[in-house]
Amino acid sequence: MNLEINFVLPHWLYWAVLLLLPLIVMFFVDRSFRRGASVDGGDTGELPSSGEAEVGYKPPGNLFTTIVDRISGFSGRYVAYWALVAPFAFAYEVLLRYAFNSPTNWVHESMTLMFGMQYLVAGAFALREGGHVRVDILYQRAKPVNRAALDVLTSVFFFIFTIALMVTGWTFFSQSVSDELFFGSSYANETSFTEWAIQFYPVKFMLFFGALLLLLQGFGQLIRDIQACRHHWRLHEGSRTFARVLLVIAVVLGAWTLFEMVNVAVTDYESLPFSIEHSLGSVGIGGLTLVMFGALMVVLVAGLPLAFVTGGLGVVFLYLVGDQAMLNLMPSRIFPMMTNYQLSAIPLFIFMASVLEKAGIIEELFDVVYKWMGGLKAGLAIATVIASTLLAAMVGVIGAAVVTMGLIALPAMLKRNYDPEIAIGSIMAGGTLGILIPPSILAIIYGVIAQQSVGELYLGSLIPGLMLAFMYGFYCWLRGTLNIKMAPPMPVEERVDMKEKLRLLRNMLAPIILVVLVLGIIFTGIATPVEAAGIGTFGALVVAAMHRRLTWPNLHAACMTTLVASAMVMWIIFGASIFVGFYILQGGQQFVQELISGAGLGPYAVLALMMVLLVALGMFLDWVGILLLAVPIFVPLIQGLNFDGVFGLPGVDPADVSLWFGVIYLVNMQMSFLSPPFGYALFYIKGVCPPHITMGQIFRASFPFLGIQALGLLLVILFPALVTWLPGLAYG
């Protein structure tokens, strides 16, 4: 009997669902809030708190900023609800493929395109919510008047990026439209290269539309920046010289940008007098390297969001080294990223994390492990590490683990007189395991950039991740054993018997089964990481329903958290792909390779140099920025080297070098999260610490665990089988 089902989703139905579903969900969400419903749980956002939030002047805006905020808010909320489609689509796909032998390739394409459009529209909403990551090393320490002037200055780079993307995005879109319906040319009525053959022009239109929304929100932000500057200018009593210089530079840069826009608009081959188009065309790759990365560091520390720093500088150097025609590289770099199938796992895993958090699973998880381990010396710290490990295996979202365990575990440990440094260190170190333990979002992005199997990366990182978790727990136990006052065991009267422990464990069966299911289907090759993420989100919805937390407000909160976090990650990828892509196109990769090979360093010395550079970058940049800037240059260099082992130990098979380096990179990124002075985990935890906990204590708490991570990194380098054994066993 043939049970094959050959249903293919009609194009009109796909667009109808994307157009109408958000309106239906909005109706039920708004009605639920009007009836007094509320959101459960906390916030699993990926954005670190700066600790002591500064309560200061908030610019009032005007009618324009109000309208723009509402447009960005509505559009962001509209596309956020698209995430509700994915769990059911992927569950349907896996069911038909395995139960009815009916692969549905249109599911993969439809969801990939849906998320690609979502990323672009969400950029403006993330900007409104302050969701784009910035490096505020100097920015937060500047005087209010200087900070306000700096905001006005750095907005020039934002407008350079968004205007260039809007113009080139419109050209990119118009080339894919039917000549009969519009004014398209070149790829008229372009469709995808699959049997579904959906038309691409609505998807490509989002490049223009997303940039337009960003531009409008940017103008609103500029108005507020100018209001803030005027306010602080009036109140400032000291010298205004530096602020005045910044504003003059901003006006000059803005005027010159307008002049170059006119140059692009009215010329094709001959530039206007005084135009700087192609002015750096004769600069060699060595000088260009210094100029590009020097400018990157300067603009980064000025406090502009990372996505627009890299994107804006990429546009500037495309124009200065090349010409206006080279600006069309922008959409051709962004479109493959926004339609990359593997990257669609990112919003799915973030959505899974958000749904589980709203279902109260994280709190219950810690309670169960705490009751089981509390009787040991340093039992609460060990329980924190174990709970963080399990949490990492559920969600793959770094900020969620640190913030949530900080809210739950830190008060419990401080109440029982734990040394604050042990308590804080165990939370930060355990929380960062989400970088390494599957399903790590960072591993997904690395796999895409380095062309490495994500499934192999997940398997390869499993043993190092569990090894580090064991080392963290052992360190806590050792400190508690050597000095019981630092980490005392749970009082006898608070301990529970085995019957109660088993009852508590029964409550965690559903999420544990979910973890085993998600990781199992990845490791066995039954499904891709994207499909596994889709099944995981469907399972998370089921678990939330079992805990009676599957409510409209919770779904709304999970969708909005997912939108901001995934938009932050993806816009950094978009911006960095332009900057790094142009540098590689100019011969940057070959230049770095020749520079290193000319230094006469051996393979392990080159690797050590890369590790030092990554740790240094981790002190200032976020993990996505480091990956996009370093990995495209480092991986080809590493793949060309032979690692035959040191001290008589086994080496690495050349076929496994990319996998091995990928896991080494993931371990290194754990260190970047804990590295003072600007490691993100330090600020995640500061945001939930009691006021009496100082940054100095947090820094000191990170040092022992940084040492453990360095030891783990050394072990992975010296014993590559820790990485390669499991993938070799599973895939041969």
Side-chain angles (χ1 to χ4, degrees), residues 10 91 112 167 259 264 332 674 713 721 731:
T112 300
V167 173
F259 170 73
V264 171
S332 63
L674 286 185
L713 180 66
Y731 302 125

Side-chain angles (χ1 to χ4, degrees), residues 140-155:
Q140 290 296 342
R141 288 157 179 76
K143 295 177 181 178
V145 66
N146 293 336
R147 196 185 309 168
L150 197 58
D151 284 334
V152 175
L153 171 59
T154 54
S155 64

Side-chain angles (χ1 to χ4, degrees), residues 355-356 358-359 361 539-550:
V355 171
L356 288 174
K358 302 304 174 191
I361 296 300
L541 294 174
V542 173
V543 171
M546 292 171 60
H547 285 71
R548 298 183 180 179
R549 295 280 187 94
L550 191 63

Side-chain angles (χ1 to χ4, degrees), residues 407-428:
L407 290 169
I408 300 168
L410 185 58
M413 286 191 273
L414 295 179
K415 179 182 176 182
R416 288 161 179 81
N417 299 315
Y418 268 62
D419 183 281
E421 293 178 18
I422 289 285
I424 292 168
S426 62
I427 292 171
M428 291 192 298

Side-chain angles (χ1 to χ4, degrees), residues 460-702:
S461 61
L462 187 59
I463 291 177
L466 295 177
M467 178 185 72
L468 277 172
F470 172 79
M471 293 166 70
Y472 297 154
F474 179 77
Y475 169 77
C476 294
W477 174 82
L478 188 63
R479 291 294 299 272
T481 301
L482 295 175
N483 185 353
I484 197 169
K485 292 182 180 179
M486 293 192 72
M490 182 194 299
V492 176
E493 60 272 15
E494 294 185 23
R495 302 178 192 179
V496 296
D497 57 20
M498 184 57 67
K499 182 179 179 181
E500 177 64 13
K501 288 181 179 179
L502 292 174
R503 187 194 68 79
L504 289 169
L505 193 60
R506 189 177 64 231
N507 295 337
M508 294 307 299
L509 279 179
I512 289 173
I513 290 172
L514 178 62
V515 171
V516 173
L517 175 67
V518 171
L519 298 185
I521 60 179
I522 294 175
F523 292 162
T524 57
I526 292 175
T528 66
V530 177
E531 291 172 327
I535 295 297
T537 54
F538 183 81
L541 294 174
V542 173
V543 171
M546 292 171 60
H547 285 71
R548 298 183 180 179
R549 295 280 187 94
L550 191 63
T551 63
W552 287 113
N554 284 351
L555 286 175
H556 164 77
C559 288
M560 300 313 294
T561 298
T562 302
L563 185 78
V564 174
S566 55
M568 177 267 291
V569 172
M570 293 306 302
W571 275 94
I572 291 174
I573 291 176
F574 295 158
S577 68
I578 297 169
F579 184 86
V580 177
F582 171 72
Y583 181 67
I584 292 175
L585 186 66
Q586 293 300 117
Q589 183 176 300
Q590 183 179 354
F591 169 73
V592 175
Q593 189 169 3
E594 291 173 353
L595 194 67
I596 292 177
S597 61
L601 299 175
Y604 286 94
V606 171
L607 181 63
L609 177 62
M610 290 180 178
M611 293 300 102
V612 172
L613 288 174
L614 289 173
V615 170
L617 287 172
M619 294 180 180
F620 306 101
L621 290 179
D622 82 302
W623 50 279
V624 187
I626 296 171
L627 191 151
L628 270 295
L629 292 173
V631 168
I633 297 172
F634 284 0
V635 169
L637 299 180
I638 283 292
Q639 288 173 336
L641 300 175
N642 293 318
F643 293 89
D644 300 322
V646 291
F647 310 123
L649 297 171
V652 188
D653 188 294
D656 294 329
V657 166
S658 181
L659 167 65
W660 175 63
F661 179 76
V663 176
I664 291 174
Y665 170 80
L666 295 178
V667 176
N668 192 297
M669 284 300 97
Q670 272 203 306
M671 297 178 68
S672 78
F673 264 79
L674 286 185
S675 298
F678 304 109
Y680 273 49
L682 308 172
F683 293 96
Y684 284 134
I685 196 68
K686 179 58 180 172
V688 296
C689 275
H692 68 273
I693 301 292
T694 66
M695 282 305 297
Q697 286 178 293
I698 294 174
F699 285 176
R700 288 193 297 273
S702 70

Side-chain angles (χ1 to χ4, degrees), residues 170-507:
W170 178 264
T171 304
F172 196 65
F173 152 69
S174 65
Q175 290 176 338
S176 65
V177 185
S178 171
D179 289 326
E180 298 177 6
L181 302 176
F182 206 45
F183 51 82
S185 60
S186 185
Y187 305 108
N189 207 24
E190 182 185 7
T191 61
S192 63
F193 300 103
T194 66
E195 66 270 22
W196 197 37
I198 193 167
Q199 291 179 315
F200 264 163
Y201 67 85
V203 183
K204 291 188 172 183
F205 176 73
M206 292 301 174
L207 281 162
F208 165 78
F209 184 63
L212 176 62
L213 290 176
L214 261 178
L215 185 65
L216 292 174
Q217 191 63 47
F219 276 123
Q221 189 64 44
L222 179 61
I223 290 171
R224 291 192 176 95
D225 289 341
I226 292 173
Q227 289 177 337
C229 190
R230 293 172 62 184
H231 170 80
H232 293 301
W233 191 277
R234 288 195 303 268
L235 297 181
H236 187 70
E237 295 180 356
S239 171
R240 300 187 180 94
T241 303
F242 186 64
R244 189 175 284 110
V245 169
L246 291 176
L247 292 175
V248 169
I249 295 173
V251 171
V252 172
L253 280 178
W256 208 298
T257 301
L258 289 173
F259 170 73
E260 296 299 340
M261 289 171 59
V262 172
N263 177 64
V264 171
V266 302
T267 66
D268 287 321
Y269 304 105
E270 294 292 333
S271 301
L272 294 175
F274 307 111
S275 171
I276 56 175
E277 181 182 1
H278 196 58
S279 58
L280 296 183
S282 59
V283 176
I285 187 60
L288 189 61
T289 300
L290 290 175
V291 173
M292 286 185 69
F293 287 93
L296 177 64
M297 290 299 108
V298 170
V299 183
L300 267 179
V301 297
L304 190 68
L306 181 60
F308 308 124
V309 167
T310 52
L313 283 177
V315 172
V316 168
F317 286 108
L318 279 171
Y319 188 74
L320 293 179
V321 178
D323 53 30
Q324 55 186 273
M326 283 193 72
L327 296 178
N328 291 299
L329 181 70
M330 291 182 68
S332 63
R333 290 289 298 178
I334 292 176
F335 188 73
M337 289 294 181
M338 65 176 273
T339 56
N340 186 286
Y341 171 66
Q342 296 287 355
L343 291 178
S344 57
I346 293 174
L348 289 170
F349 278 127
I350 295 175
F351 186 57
M352 177 179 164
S354 302
V355 171
L356 288 174
E357 193 274 335
K358 302 304 174 191
I361 296 300
I362 298 174
E363 292 90 337
E364 290 186 16
L365 174 67
F366 176 74
D367 187 55
V368 171
V369 181
Y370 157 58
K371 293 290 175 56
W372 272 80
M373 308 299 298
L376 298 175
K377 293 171 183 175
L380 273 178
I382 296 171
T384 299
V385 173
I386 294 174
S388 297
T389 304
L390 294 172
L391 181 59
M394 287 183 188
V395 301
V397 182
I398 302 101
V402 177
V403 172
T404 308
M405 296 309 295
L407 290 169
I408 300 168
L410 185 58
M413 286 191 273
L414 295 179
K415 179 182 176 182
R416 288 161 179 81
N417 299 315
Y418 268 62
D419 183 281
E421 293 178 18
I422 289 285
I424 292 168
S426 62
I427 292 171
M428 291 192 298
T432 57
L433 286 168
I435 296 175
L436 194 57
I437 290 179
S440 163
I441 288 173
L442 187 58
I444 295 171
I445 305 175
Y446 176 89
V448 171
I449 300 300
Q451 298 296 300
Q452 172 64 46
S453 164
V454 176
E456 286 188 3
L457 271 175
Y458 279 170
L459 271 176
S461 61
L462 187 59
I463 291 177
L466 295 177
M467 178 185 72
L468 277 172
F470 172 79
M471 293 166 70
Y472 297 154
F474 179 77
Y475 169 77
C476 294
W477 174 82
L478 188 63
R479 291 294 299 272
T481 301
L482 295 175
N483 185 353
I484 197 169
K485 292 182 180 179
M486 293 192 72
M490 182 194 299
V492 176
E493 60 272 15
E494 294 185 23
R495 302 178 192 179
V496 296
D497 57 20
M498 184 57 67
K499 182 179 179 181
E500 177 64 13
K501 288 181 179 179
L502 292 174
R503 187 194 68 79
L504 289 169
L505 193 60
R506 189 177 64 231
N507 295 337

